[in-house]
Amino acid sequence: MNDTYYEFGTAADRWDRAQLFFEAKEYLTAARILGGLVEEAPEQVAPRLLLARSYYHSARLARAEEELRAVLERDPVESYARLMLGRTLERQGRQAEAATHLRLAAALSGAFGQPGNGA
């Protein structure tokens, strides 16, 4: 794999660069940058969540699921990770498993049982 300019610089530089690529819908490039950041600081949730989103949007669903489960292992009440995991599982056709995570996400975000959310 060839190294390119966007993989160099401080962690903050690479984080900013990854966000720019993500916003530009260059998900594979964003994932490449974020993968390095996650390796360097696996305990940080934000880079791992953006990496999972990059994988999700580039249809790398197994990798998205893996990253989301890693987030939830560290922070089981991270509602956005639960929601994303539910959506990722839905996209893989795993409806029953997805429903569990979607219900948990709704409960954690306070949306569970509120009018207008289908509960």
Side-chain angles (χ1 to χ4, degrees):
M1 182 181 332
N2 293 336
D3 289 333
T4 54
Y5 78 95
Y6 47 76
E7 294 173 314
F8 295 101
T10 67
D13 291 339
R14 288 178 286 137
W15 170 248
D16 290 341
R17 208 170 293 129
Q19 289 178 306
L20 289 172
F21 278 106
F22 184 86
E23 290 167 10
K25 298 182 184 206
E26 294 287 340
Y27 302 119
L28 294 177
T29 302
R32 186 173 173 183
I33 298 166
L34 291 161
L37 290 171
V38 167
E39 281 181 28
E40 290 172 26
E43 72 285 352
Q44 291 192 4
V45 171
R48 198 175 285 272
L49 275 176
L50 192 56
L51 178 58
R53 290 177 65 198
S54 297
Y55 286 149
Y56 178 87
H57 287 297
S58 60
R60 297 166 83 184
L61 301 176
R63 287 186 168 200
E65 179 183 350
E66 181 181 319
E67 293 303 327
L68 292 165
R69 290 189 186 280
V71 168
L72 291 169
E73 202 173 280
R74 289 167 174 77
D75 186 1
V77 295
E78 170 54 61
S79 63
Y80 187 67
R82 287 268 172 217
L83 174 65
M84 277 194 61
L85 181 56
R87 297 287 182 235
T88 300
L89 294 169
E90 277 182 331
R91 234 174 123 183
Q92 294 179 68
R94 296 160 58 190
Q95 308 303 345
E97 193 177 350
T100 300
H101 292 286
L102 294 173
R103 280 193 305 272
L104 278 168
L108 290 168
S109 69
F112 192 73
Q114 291 182 3
N117 72 357

